[in-house]
Amino acid sequence: MKYKISLPGIESGWTLLFAAWIVAASATLGSLFFSEIMKVPICTLCWYQRIAMYPLALVLALGLFPHDPKIVRYAGALAGIGWFIALYHVFLVAGIIPESAQPCVQGIPCSQTHISLLGFLSIPVMSLFTFTLIGVLLFGAHRMESS
Amino acid sequence: MNRKILFISVAGLLVLAFAVAAVLFQQSASGRFDQTVLERQGAPIKGPQDAKVTIVEFLDPACGTCRDFYPFVKKLIDQYPGKVRAMVRYAPLHPGSDQVVKMLEAARYQDKFWQALELLFFEQYRWVVNHRSQPSQAQAVLAALNLDQKRFLADMKRPEVVQAIEKDVQDGQTLNVRATPEFFVNGRPMPSFGYDQLSRLVEEAVADAY
């Protein structure tokens, strides 16, 4: 009886974690595509976001086999840090934080830093969206485990 | 068990998508570009004017890799006598380089462009500090060429000079030049960055043209 009740919860929790892993792995490969194939220069803030995103692709996969609900705790911290850096970056690009405080140009002799896809999707915006999505999925997974 | 199969197939799909996208991107990037964007009338050219193979190099005199490639490009021109020429275009990506590039153009009016470029490359450590060009230091380096200083300073401000550099910067953006040096051999960019890739492109272009 107990087994049957907890089964749907675990099943969905795993599925949400799996979805979060797909998002993280796609973002990792996507950012590598930008830098290694398209040769887009990487700014300092992008590196900080990568530091949060790349381990997510690995850690979430490890949390899937065997399924370890505690992974939400570790992955959540990474996603949270990445989210704040992405938010800061988006504000910076939008000009809400003054240009003089912009650390992006530092260390990159190549001028263009913010490449936008389709005219409106800049890399920081995609990053913020991705971290948000992972956060929501992790939160969902956590809720399903605890209920 | 099903989960593992699901996981492995999704992981495989992601990697496959990456590989396919990379191949597609490289194929689309290896297309030829419009001649009017690639070349600028009156840009400095090394090698015979009537050569059928043109290496267009976007460079920044402050860039260390451009300095390292300079003798290599010269060697390529010599390797195919009469068949290969190189055109220099400016991509002043380092802060301050826009001024230094004007100095190169001004040196052309006194027929000392190549000496000026070689000197700037050779003494790069004296005027490039932390990836920033120091125009006043560069000017001090160029003093060794015994240029007519008055003419030199006046030529730097010529509207033709400003326009030429503006066109180079603009075309560089059109051609997606984000790092220097960037080479186009008869309109084709290197498939990936490196000495061998460049010499292979030149070899192929010579075989095509002659």
Side-chain angles (χ1 to χ4, degrees):
Chain A
M1 214 37 203
K2 254 186 181 175
Y3 179 69
K4 269 191 173 175
I5 293 164
S6 56
L7 187 68
I10 291 167
E11 183 69 36
S12 314
W14 189 90
T15 311
L16 290 182
L17 280 181
F18 181 59
W21 170 79
I22 293 176
V23 174
S26 310
T28 300
L29 288 174
S31 86
L32 283 173
F33 188 82
F34 282 135
S35 66
E36 301 311 305
I37 311 292
M38 287 175 73
K39 307 287 179 196
V40 175
I42 312 153
C43 78
T44 318
L45 280 178
C46 302
W47 269 116
Y48 293 155
Q49 286 159 72
R50 287 173 157 211
I51 289 168
M53 184 62 79
Y54 292 7
L56 274 172
L58 192 70
V59 163
L60 283 173
L62 292 172
L64 291 172
F65 303 103
H67 179 208
D68 177 5
K70 269 195 173 163
I71 198 66
V72 173
R73 187 179 150 82
Y74 312 119
L78 283 169
I81 292 166
W83 189 83
F84 275 110
I85 300 168
L87 186 72
Y88 177 77
H89 199 173
V90 168
F91 281 172
L92 204 68
V93 174
I96 295 169
I97 296 169
E99 186 116 0
S100 58
Q102 190 168 341
C104 269
V105 187
Q106 286 275 321
I108 293 184
C110 327
S111 59
Q112 289 185 334
T113 329
H114 315 299
I115 283 86
S116 64
L117 282 185
L118 317 169
F120 67 96
L121 255 186
S122 71
I123 292 175
V125 170
M126 286 192 274
S127 167
L128 182 64
F129 175 74
T130 309
F131 278 117
T132 308
L133 191 58
I134 292 174
V136 169
L137 288 168
L138 288 176
F139 182 75
H142 179 65
R143 267 300 145 105
M144 285 186 166
E145 295 312 324
S146 50
S147 63
Chain B
M1 272 309 114
N2 273 340
R3 284 174 172 180
K4 272 187 186 159
I5 292 164
L6 181 66
F7 177 83
I8 290 165
S9 34
V10 170
L13 267 174
L14 286 176
V15 172
L16 188 74
F18 183 89
V20 169
V23 169
L24 287 178
F25 181 82
Q26 250 140 21
Q27 272 174 358
S28 73
S30 63
R32 281 157 210 267
F33 291 101
D34 189 6
Q35 204 68 9
T36 54
V37 177
L38 273 169
E39 296 184 14
R40 171 168 55 82
Q41 280 282 311
I45 288 174
K46 205 171 192 67
Q49 292 289 326
D50 59 348
K52 287 186 191 165
V53 173
T54 306
I55 305 171
V56 176
E57 175 177 7
F58 279 83
L59 62 77
D60 183 336
C63 146
T65 313
C66 302
R67 177 198 59 210
D68 298 340
F69 263 87
Y70 183 77
F72 185 74
V73 172
K74 260 169 62 174
K75 217 175 73 190
L76 281 175
I77 296 170
D78 295 339
Q79 201 180 326
Y80 306 95
K83 294 178 178 172
V84 177
R85 59 179 196 160
M87 176 184 279
V88 170
R89 303 202 59 190
Y90 306 114
L93 297 177
H94 290 71
S97 281
D98 49 332
Q99 290 303 314
V100 182
V101 157
K102 280 185 196 160
M103 292 175 202
L104 282 173
E105 278 294 295
R108 281 183 81 191
Y109 287 98
Q110 299 182 41
D111 284 328
K112 288 192 172 161
F113 174 81
W114 297 104
Q115 287 108 301
L117 184 63
E118 279 172 30
L119 192 62
L120 284 178
F121 276 151
F122 190 68
E123 311 250 309
Q124 214 172 45
Y125 65 96
R126 283 180 58 195
W127 62 277
V128 183
V129 183
N130 286 331
H131 300 290
R132 280 179 173 275
S133 294
Q134 317 284 333
S136 55
Q137 299 291 105
Q139 208 178 326
V141 167
L142 289 177
L145 293 176
N146 289 322
L147 297 161
D148 178 341
Q149 282 298 318
K150 238 177 109 183
R151 267 178 64 201
F152 179 73
L153 292 174
D155 288 340
M156 272 177 75
K157 296 195 185 88
R158 275 177 190 253
E160 305 93 287
V161 167
V162 176
Q163 277 164 17
I165 295 166
E166 265 173 15
K167 174 152 171 57
D168 280 9
V169 170
Q170 225 171 50
D171 290 347
Q173 280 166 357
T174 309
L175 296 167
N176 269 332
V177 175
R178 295 204 188 97
T180 50
E182 183 77 79
F183 296 97
F184 297 92
V185 180
N186 280 3
R188 288 178 63 196
M190 291 186 287
S192 61
F193 193 83
Y195 292 106
D196 293 341
Q197 289 86 328
L198 180 63
S199 74
R200 214 168 306 133
L201 265 189
V202 173
E203 193 187 317
E204 284 168 15
V206 169
D208 277 351
Y210 289 95

